[in-house]
């Protein structure tokens, strides 16, 4: 299977989790990643800079109408929902909060599932609410690959546990297990057919 | 030929792609009906956004697929108004992004002060919070008496509510915090009278606001203005439509007039980019070149 995009949802405990996950990804990691971290409405997303310094991959805030390119990591801007269009560009919305969150993981995941269908990987990491559960359901329905962080290994296990309870996810792994799997998948993706 | 055989005959086309094309077709069909029968033109809005809102309506009304919604739209005008209400996102705040209003005061007001009359257009004003914020700013700058604020939206329901200028106390609490962050010069409570549940904005703030129904997609230039504020409206449009609306704005602005966009919107990749200079890049304030 050739995967075209990865969406990741993460909430409380996210900084550590992302540090671990992204520091393990090699520079040439080519599948685009769209990362949604729950953040306050007035955040300046400074943590992107901090994370950028610790990783090999290039991380940037997603711009409205920006085209999703290989080898990039995009982060949702604060106080807007982030959606993916069928033509693989980003849209923003200030629609009401979903699961008390804006940006909401469900909103991103559901639109990504429609845009990428079976060529999408959805990942839920640490967090203490149930945002992302409906999104994982949708990704599964559309034939995508679903991965949840093992709640036992998460700083806050509630969010992955909620997804696991509602969806028969394909993999339940530690952060190390997830990065190993992603690297393996990306290698297979690059291999000539 | 059934869907299944079709996809098996064409290994390049998965069943997913076929279903996806069908969904896309049905969406376009629905938007076409809304336009032809009711005059509402959503054909160039963001698809992901529309899909999401339409799915919400379907879930709320217990519908299974797009054909059901299509026939309901053809036969039930009451349902259409419910649908339209769901398609338009009217979330707004007073002094949303306080830094933006601060920048207006520092970078735009000094220029406006040089005009004998000031015309301001709030495009997509929703329930009016932005226009009231502008009234407050202009009063505090001593410019209100020579200012006309055109506040327009294509959703008549929100225009009616904007005119009333009544906001729940829970909202007012949030707006007060924004006003303080912006650095307002008075006490926010000076601008309204409150009862147990609601706050009513002062009549003096409404005096120079002209509320009107205007559709950015289908209506044209109606005035020449010094300042246009259109925030968080264009994010719902596709690129082509954004460019069309930017033409409308350009043609409505005097030379040296200002265009203000939402905090995540930009002129950068639009056709008119070179016709403006950046008055405040971070706060998305642009100045039409002479
Ligand atoms: C999310 S609100 C933004 C409100 C406010 N400008 C703000 O930023 O807080 C978007 C508004 O744009 C209006 N709108 C959408 N399409 C429009 C159109 N074609 N013409 C005029 N207004 C439109 C909607 O009715 C809604 O009130």
């Amino acid at each position: 299977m050739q995967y075209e995009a990865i969406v990741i949802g993460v909430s409380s405990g996210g900084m550590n989790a992302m540090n671990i996950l992204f520091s393990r990804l090699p520079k040439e990691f080519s599948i685009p990643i769209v990362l949604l971290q729950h953040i306050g409405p007035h955040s300046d997303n400074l943590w992107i800079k901090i994370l950028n310094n610790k990783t090999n991959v290039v991380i940037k805030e997603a711009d409205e109408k920006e085209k999703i390119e290989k080898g990039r990591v995009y982060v949702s801007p604060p106080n807007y929902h982030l959606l993916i269009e069928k033509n693989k560009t980003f849209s923003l919305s200030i629609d009401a909060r979903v699961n008390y969150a804006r940006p909401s993981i469900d909103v991103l995941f559901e639109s990504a599932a429609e845009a990428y269908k079976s060529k999408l990987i959805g990942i839920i990491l640490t967090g203490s609410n149930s945002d992302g559960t409906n999104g994982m359901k949708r990704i599964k329905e559309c034939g995508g690959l679903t991965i949840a962080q093992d709640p036992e290994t998460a700083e806050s296990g509630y969010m992955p546990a909620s997804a696991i309870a509602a969806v028969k996810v394909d993999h339940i792994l530690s952060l190390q297990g997830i990065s190993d799997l992603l690297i393996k998948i990306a290698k297979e993706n690059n291999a000539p057919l | 030929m059934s869907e299944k055989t079709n996809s098996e005959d064409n290994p390049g086309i998965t069943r997913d792609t076929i279903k996806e094309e069908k969904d896309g077709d049905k969406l376009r069909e629905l938007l076409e009906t809304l336009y032809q029968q009711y005059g509402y033109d959503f054909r160039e809005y963001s698809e992901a956004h529309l899909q999401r809102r339409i799915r919400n309506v379907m879930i709320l009304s217990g519908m299974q697929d797009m054909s059901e919604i299509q026939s309901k739209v053809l036969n039930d005008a009451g349902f259409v108004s419910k649908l339209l209400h769901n398609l338009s996102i009217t979330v707004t705040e007073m002094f949303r992004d306080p830094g933006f209003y601060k920048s207006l005061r520092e970078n735009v007001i000094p220029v406006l002060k040089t005009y004998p009359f000031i015309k301001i257009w709030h495009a997509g004003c929703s329930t009016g919070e932005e226009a009231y914020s502008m009234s407050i700013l202009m009063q505090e700058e001593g410019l209100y008496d020579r200012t006309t604020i055109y506040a327009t939206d294509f959703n008549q329901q929100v225009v009616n509510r904007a005119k009333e200028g009544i906001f729940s106390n829970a909202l007012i609490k949030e707006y007060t915090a924004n006003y303080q962050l912006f650095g307002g010069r008075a006490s926010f409570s000076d601008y309204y009278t409150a009862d147990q549940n609601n706050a009513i904005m002062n009549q003096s703030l409404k005096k120079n606001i002209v509320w009107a129904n205007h559709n950015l997609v289908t209506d044209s230039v109606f005035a020449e203005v010094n300042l246009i504020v259109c925030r968080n409206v264009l994010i719902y449009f596709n690129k082509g439509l954004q460019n069309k609306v930017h033409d409308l704005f350009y043609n409505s602005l005097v030379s040296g007039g200002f265009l203000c966009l939402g905090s995540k919107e930009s002129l950068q990749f639009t056709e008119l980019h070179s016709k403006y200079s950046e008055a405040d890049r971070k706060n998305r304030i642009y100045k039409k070149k002479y």
Side-chain angles (χ1 to χ4, degrees):
Chain A
M1 173 59 79
Q2 292 276 316
Y3 288 103
E4 288 177 4
I6 300 169
V7 286
I8 302 178
V10 55
S11 189
S12 49
M15 276 321 293
N16 278 336
M18 289 187 296
N19 271 335
I20 296 172
L21 190 66
F22 284 102
S23 61
R24 294 175 59 92
L25 293 185
K27 204 172 165 188
E28 58 283 358
F29 190 86
S30 66
I31 310 175
I33 297 177
V34 184
L35 180 60
L36 196 150
Q37 154 90 66
H38 283 157
I39 28 170
H42 301 299
S43 158
D44 49 11
N45 257 350
L46 210 67
W47 61 273
I48 296 180
K49 265 204 190 121
I50 300 167
L51 195 60
N52 239 327
N53 291 334
K54 294 187 185 160
T55 57
N56 302 312
V57 288
V58 180
I59 307 177
K60 77 176 287 289
E61 195 174 280
D63 284 323
E64 86 109 353
K65 300 283 183 286
E66 182 174 5
K67 182 127 185 72
I68 299 175
E69 306 275 6
K70 276 191 178 172
R72 292 260 165 135
V73 179
Y74 302 92
V75 176
S76 51
N79 212 13
Y80 285 83
H81 290 300
L82 181 67
L83 296 91
I84 300 178
E85 299 284 338
K86 296 229 161 79
N87 65 8
K88 317 293 156 62
T89 60
F90 289 113
S91 281
L92 299 177
S93 169
I94 58 166
D95 213 336
R97 288 160 183 267
V98 174
N99 311 310
Y100 308 102
R102 186 175 60 214
S104 142
I105 302 170
D106 279 342
V107 172
L108 171 67
F109 279 24
E110 286 169 8
S111 67
E114 300 290 339
Y116 287 101
K117 300 286 171 187
S118 61
K119 304 211 162 87
L120 180 70
I121 302 174
I123 305 176
I124 286 286
L125 303 179
T126 167
S128 46
N129 56 71
S130 58
D131 193 20
T133 295
N134 287 329
M136 288 286 269
K137 233 186 257 173
R138 190 94 201 133
I139 293 174
K140 184 90 194 176
E141 279 166 15
C142 292
L145 186 76
T146 49
I147 304 170
Q149 182 177 8
D150 182 350
E152 301 268 293
T153 71
E155 224 171 286
S156 183
Y158 190 89
M159 200 160 84
S162 162
I164 292 165
V167 187
K168 207 175 165 319
V169 299
D170 299 292
H171 300 278
I172 301 172
L173 297 165
S174 67
L175 289 170
Q176 179 167 349
I178 293 173
S179 52
D180 288 346
L181 179 63
L182 292 183
I183 291 165
K184 185 169 152 262
I185 288 174
K187 277 206 183 114
E188 288 168 5
N189 250 15
N190 281 334
L193 289 172
Chain B
M1 200 191 284
S2 80
E3 229 172 86
K4 192 150 182 281
T5 4
N6 198 346
S7 56
E8 277 164 3
D9 284 348
N10 300 291
I13 305 173
T14 65
R15 238 188 302 175
D16 276 352
T17 4
I18 293 172
K19 174 139 191 325
E20 183 184 325
E21 274 164 15
K22 277 199 170 160
D23 283 354
D25 285 349
K26 280 187 185 155
L27 177 66
R28 274 183 287 278
E29 202 182 319
L30 181 69
L31 299 180
E32 203 55 48
T33 311
L34 276 177
Y35 178 59
Q36 302 296 345
Q37 302 239 345
Y38 302 93
Y40 286 98
D41 194 352
F42 287 100
R43 295 174 299 172
E44 292 180 271
Y45 278 52
S46 141
E47 259 191 44
H49 161 69
L50 291 171
Q51 283 284 10
R52 185 181 140 65
R53 303 303 306 181
I54 289 171
R55 199 168 37 240
N56 275 358
V57 174
M58 284 168 54
I59 292 169
L60 286 175
S61 336
M63 295 178 181
Q64 299 300 321
D65 66 82
M66 292 284 288
S67 356
E68 262 179 85
I69 205 163
Q70 172 75 13
S71 70
K72 200 112 174 130
V73 162
L74 282 168
N75 303 313
D76 184 346
F79 177 76
V80 171
S81 90
K82 185 168 143 193
L83 179 65
L84 288 174
H85 194 72
N86 262 284
L87 290 184
S88 99
I89 303 303
T90 58
V91 176
T92 182
E93 283 169 33
M94 284 197 207
F95 294 98
R96 180 193 189 102
D97 306 318
F100 162 70
Y101 288 89
K102 219 182 244 177
S103 175
L104 274 183
R105 195 163 60 191
E106 282 160 20
N107 300 310
V108 177
I109 295 287
V111 179
L112 296 185
K113 275 196 170 144
T114 64
Y115 299 121
F117 301 104
I118 303 159
K119 289 184 177 173
I120 300 173
W121 178 18
H122 280 277
C125 67
S126 187
T127 39
E129 277 87 335
E130 269 186 347
Y132 285 110
S133 310
M134 185 64 79
S135 280
I136 291 173
L137 174 62
M138 297 309 267
Q139 280 197 354
E140 294 191 356
E141 293 298 323
L143 296 176
Y144 191 66
D145 286 334
R146 40 177 161 131
T147 301
T148 304
I149 298 174
Y150 301 100
T152 66
D153 203 286
F154 78 151
N155 176 337
Q156 189 59 40
Q157 255 171 306
V158 292
V159 175
N160 291 343
R161 280 180 49 205
K163 248 185 241 177
E164 288 175 354
I166 301 175
F167 302 101
S168 80
N169 286 336
L171 289 174
I172 289 291
K173 209 173 139 202
E174 205 183 307
Y175 300 166
T176 306
N178 285 350
Y179 175 76
Q180 285 163 351
L181 282 172
F182 144 70
R185 300 203 165 126
S187 157
F188 194 58
S189 58
D190 293 347
Y191 293 110
Y192 59 82
T193 46
D195 63 18
Q196 267 181 341
N197 306 313
N198 297 306
I200 304 170
M201 302 314 289
N202 289 352
Q203 192 55 41
S204 72
L205 293 172
K206 301 179 184 172
K207 203 174 57 183
N208 294 349
I209 305 181
V210 179
W211 306 100
N213 192 309
H214 180 279
N215 189 328
L216 292 167
V217 182
T218 45
D219 294 332
S220 47
V221 176
F222 63 88
E224 192 169 61
V225 301
N226 308 100
L227 166 62
I228 296 177
V229 181
C230 183
R231 313 185 72 219
N232 302 309
V233 179
L234 299 181
I235 45 175
Y236 298 102
F237 298 175
N238 73 19
K239 200 93 225 166
L241 187 54
Q242 285 184 350
N243 277 324
K244 271 188 244 171
V245 177
H246 275 306
D247 280 338
L248 175 66
F249 290 159
Y250 188 78
N251 292 327
S252 303
L253 267 184
V254 301
S255 293
F258 294 92
L259 172 65
C260 304
L261 303 176
S263 61
K264 296 296 167 192
E265 294 166 316
S266 150
L267 269 180
Q268 200 178 353
F269 299 110
T270 62
E271 289 158 5
L272 286 168
H273 183 226
S274 61
K275 306 253 164 125
Y276 288 88
S277 57
E278 284 172 344
D280 179 346
R281 187 197 185 107
K282 178 160 184 288
N283 288 299
R284 316 292 165 140
I285 302 177
Y286 301 88
K287 188 170 191 201
K288 179 172 166 176
K289 289 183 183 166
Y290 282 93

